[in-house]
Amino acid sequence: MTLGGERLGTRTRIHIPVFALHRNVRLWENPTAFDPDRFTAEQVKKRSRYAYLPFGGGPRICIGASFATTETAVILATMVRAFHFRALAGHKPRPVARVTLRPAGGMPLLVTARKGAAANIATFRETRKAS
């Protein structure tokens, strides 16, 4: 295998800076902005499959990727049905790159129950007790 014209040995370690890759101006338009439309089917088709690596890629992709993606969607859908989420005025999240990307000091939110969501909240509480 070669990288930049240089031959690599069989035990060569390569580090891919995922934080930098996901914010690369050559791969992403306005890379530091929150833009869920980046992940529409038509946008995904336009870029390299290795431009976005939340779970790695190739033969060493995380074996839990499919489960984590499904679990996240189910949890988010359940919570959004029961609650409103609003960022606190004036709070600017500052990303910290560790093993995963997270906001420094957490992400304070104002969480309120949706009107008529009592059944959803009860279901959410029961689900949390079971886990």
Side-chain angles (χ1 to χ4, degrees), residues 73-85 111-112 114 124:
V74 169
I75 291 169
L76 184 60
T78 302
M79 291 180 68
V80 168
R81 276 185 26 207
F83 304 102
H84 285 285
F85 296 89
V111 181
T112 55
R114 290 185 179 271
F124 181 73

Side-chain angles (χ1 to χ4, degrees), residues 88-131:
L88 296 182
H91 179 75
K92 298 248 185 209
R94 190 172 46 87
V96 176
R98 298 257 195 279
V99 173
T100 59
L101 184 64
R102 58 192 66 204
M107 184 65 198
L109 296 171
L110 180 60
V111 181
T112 55
R114 290 185 179 271
K115 289 183 180 169
N120 292 335
I121 293 170
T123 301
F124 181 73
R125 284 185 181 136
E126 291 304 313
T127 303
R128 287 202 58 218
K129 285 179 189 176
S131 61

Side-chain angles (χ1 to χ4, degrees), residues 16 18 21-22 49-62 65:
I16 298 171
V18 176
L21 177 69
H22 291 174
R49 65 185 288 188
Y50 296 110
Y52 182 64
L53 300 172
F55 297 101
R60 290 177 178 71
I61 193 166
C62 174

Side-chain angles (χ1 to χ4, degrees), residues 56-77:
R60 290 177 178 71
I61 193 166
C62 174
I63 61 171
S66 179
F67 174 73
T69 303
T70 302
E71 181 182 41
T72 300
V74 169
I75 291 169
L76 184 60

Side-chain angles (χ1 to χ4, degrees), residues 1-45:
M1 177 180 186
T2 61
L3 182 65
E6 195 173 319
R7 182 150 176 77
L8 302 177
T10 57
R11 296 196 176 265
T12 301
R13 290 182 185 223
I14 298 173
H15 173 76
I16 298 171
V18 176
F19 182 86
L21 177 69
H22 291 174
R23 284 156 185 78
N24 187 317
V25 295
R26 289 182 276 170
L27 299 172
W28 306 96
E29 186 178 319
N30 198 4
T32 59
F34 175 72
D35 182 8
D37 291 336
R38 287 183 180 137
F39 303 99
T40 62
E42 57 208 38
Q43 291 296 320
V44 169
K45 287 178 190 174

